[in-house]
Amino acid sequence: MIIGVLKEIKSGESRVIMTPIEAGELVADGHEVLVQSGAGVKAGFEDEEYISVGAEIRNHMKEIYQESDMVVKVKEIEPTEYEMIKEGQIIFTCIHPAANREEVDTLLERKAIAFTAEDTHRFGSPNCEVAGKLGALMGVNYLLSINGGRGQLICGIGGAPGANVLVLGAGIVGKGAVEIVSALGAQVTLMDVNIGTLRHCEEIFPKNVQTMFSNQQNIKKILSRMDLVINCVKWPKHRKDHLITKDMLRFMKKGSVIVDVSADVGGAIETYKPTTHENPTYEIDGVIHYGVDNIPGAAPHTTSIAYAASVFPHLKAIANDGIVEACKRDGYLRRSLTVFKGTLTHEEASVIQNRSWKTPEEVLGLTDCVDLDHVPKATTTSVKKKDSSKESVCNCC
């Protein structure tokens, strides 16, 4: 197979999905690896390093699309790439299909075979851990008056207390955020809806971290005391309510900071909107909002090493075993199949965009397979399956 590695073009994005380590392994397996010139430079991997393990360099994105059977990258497919996608070409990247109808339209029209990488992680994405930790550090930074904040130091000093921090969600992202702000000396409240998770967090975190059940009434109760709020909740896209509404900002201190690591428009934070590393913040009712939707892009070297290693088993399985066998053996890869030669196969996108769909098992001919790797769904959004010629209906409310 010919595998093409693209240079990221999203603003502020410097990660690379494949380091020379993974490229060398694919070459050793007999595959051809094409790397767009400069794809890994900002992450600390020079073109010469790829060449030294047997990969070939191509100067332009168009060459990668033209020559490759499978194209891989970190972030979404941009409009400038749409016309380059070939019929039957395998695309592996973070598509975020439910939120990107135009991108899904293109992949369907081009009859590509696309996997959305964010749904492939059996043990959670390294990007999540980086986003939680780095998002916390960004919040610490924007609390300073020189960056628009209220001038609150995260840690206490003699005679003055440290910051009060609220972390919403105790998953990989939230735990990463708590690890940073608690180590820096903040007084931290960690909220989640799972009592078992909260008990575990009480055991692993220091005594400056307290836990609390997550609901809007509890948030309202403590919001006025908080200097920094870090949202780490992946809000179901079919929900129309929020954990923190615009009206609730009036309870917050002027110059306090909200960091929405989950970066969901219409999500847990009603006032969230996406920003970039170049222009990362905006202010609403005196509250600083940090809305960068690719936080890990600011630490491309560290993130790329871990992320490339985490997705490489999927890329290797597709290349060595083919799509059907790879998806049969790994349910996380199978559930990430988004489009297959003109058919939508992503459940959440079908609900949010009101489209007809088929399951990955149906399009891959695996419905009667008895030894599938069964895994949890990637989303809480679900549909009531109907005839494939009709639109699917949401069955989640």
Side-chain angles (χ1 to χ4, degrees):
M1 184 177 284
I2 303 174
I3 299 116
V5 181
L6 288 173
K7 181 180 179 180
E8 299 299 320
I9 57 176
K10 183 181 176 73
S11 176
E13 184 54 67
S14 303
R15 286 171 287 179
V16 65
I17 195 171
M18 190 183 298
T19 75
I21 296 294
E22 293 79 32
E25 287 202 35
L26 287 173
V27 171
D29 283 348
H31 305 291
E32 187 175 347
V33 178
L34 310 179
V35 180
Q36 187 178 349
S37 182
V41 169
K42 290 185 178 180
F45 306 105
E46 301 289 339
D47 288 353
E48 290 74 15
E49 295 180 66
Y50 289 99
I51 294 171
S52 70
V53 298
E56 299 178 26
I57 302 298
R58 295 292 185 267
N59 290 323
H60 303 291
M61 177 193 303
K62 190 173 183 179
E63 296 175 89
I64 298 292
Y65 274 106
Q66 284 178 339
E67 298 182 47
S68 302
D69 303 308
M70 176 163 61
V71 175
V72 299
K73 61 182 294 193
V74 176
K75 294 301 290 180
E76 298 88 356
I77 304 293
E78 299 285 342
T80 54
E81 301 171 67
Y82 289 171
E83 293 301 315
M84 301 180 194
I85 299 171
K86 299 185 298 186
E87 183 174 340
Q89 194 164 49
I90 303 167
I91 308 291
F92 186 100
T93 190
C94 288
I95 300 169
H96 301 294
N100 292 293
R101 186 181 186 108
E102 182 182 271
E103 188 180 13
V104 173
D105 283 341
T106 299
L107 292 168
L108 288 169
E109 290 166 5
R110 306 299 290 186
K111 296 186 177 180
I113 301 169
F115 294 88
T116 188
E118 67 272 14
D119 288 347
T120 67
H121 300 283
R122 189 176 293 269
F123 304 107
S125 172
N127 287 324
C128 294
E129 184 177 359
V130 174
K133 292 180 176 181
L134 191 51
L137 289 173
M138 294 300 182
V140 169
N141 184 48
Y142 285 101
L143 273 176
L144 302 178
S145 61
I146 58 173
N147 296 316
R150 65 188 306 269
Q152 173 67 55
L153 187 62
I154 193 70
C155 58
I157 62 170
N164 290 308
V165 179
L166 170 61
V167 177
L168 299 172
I172 294 173
V173 182
K175 287 175 182 174
V178 170
E179 183 180 338
I180 295 298
V181 290
S182 64
L184 290 174
Q187 296 299 314
V188 184
T189 301
L190 173 60
M191 286 189 172
D192 199 272
V193 296
N194 187 314
I195 191 67
T197 298
L198 294 177
R199 287 195 188 111
H200 177 64
C201 289
E202 289 276 355
E203 296 171 357
I204 64 174
F205 288 123
K207 295 304 179 184
N208 57 327
V209 178
Q210 62 177 357
T211 60
M212 198 170 186
F213 199 78
S214 181
N215 57 52
Q216 196 176 78
Q217 292 306 309
N218 278 340
I219 293 171
K220 284 181 179 179
K221 184 177 178 180
I222 66 172
L223 199 56
S224 63
R225 304 200 311 267
M226 295 298 135
D227 301 295
L228 171 61
V229 176
I230 306 173
N231 175 51
C232 306
V233 175
K234 183 180 179 182
W235 202 245
K237 287 182 172 55
H238 62 278
R239 291 186 60 165
K240 303 303 180 185
D241 58 336
H242 316 281
L243 282 179
I244 295 180
T245 65
K246 185 179 187 302
D247 184 62
M248 290 167 65
L249 298 186
R250 62 189 173 88
F251 299 129
M252 298 185 69
K253 304 170 185 176
K254 301 299 181 184
S256 57
V257 176
I258 294 177
V259 174
D260 194 342
V261 179
S262 291
D264 288 323
V265 176
I269 309 297
E270 183 179 16
T271 48
Y272 169 79
K273 63 181 181 181
T275 63
T276 66
H277 289 293
E278 289 75 18
N279 296 288
T281 62
Y282 56 95
E283 182 180 325
I284 297 179
D285 295 343
V287 177
I288 306 299
H289 290 61
Y290 179 90
V292 175
D293 60 5
N294 63 325
I295 293 173
H301 183 71
T302 300
T303 309
S304 294
I305 291 173
Y307 183 61
S310 71
V311 299
F312 181 67
H314 296 311
L315 305 183
K316 185 174 183 178
I318 292 170
N320 287 352
D321 305 323
I323 290 172
V324 175
E325 187 63 26
C327 288
K328 175 183 173 181
R329 294 180 180 179
D330 194 322
Y332 284 88
L333 178 64
R334 189 172 67 252
R335 77 178 191 180
S336 77
L337 186 64
T338 302
V339 301
F340 186 84
K341 298 181 179 179
T343 299
L344 180 66
T345 54
H346 193 269
E347 185 174 10
E348 185 181 45
S350 76
V351 175
I352 302 304
Q353 298 171 14
N354 193 28
R355 299 176 184 261
S356 60
W357 76 299
K358 291 185 178 181
T359 67
E361 292 81 4
E362 287 176 295
V363 299
L364 296 174
L366 295 173
T367 52
D368 296 325
C369 185
V370 295
D371 57 346
L372 285 179
D373 175 35
H374 293 285
V375 301
K377 288 187 176 184
T379 174
T380 56
T381 304
S382 62
V383 299
K384 184 183 293 182
K385 284 298 298 298
K386 298 173 66 177
D387 184 275
S388 61
S389 65
K390 300 177 182 178
E391 294 293 342
S392 299
V393 174
C394 178
N395 190 36
C396 53
C397 299

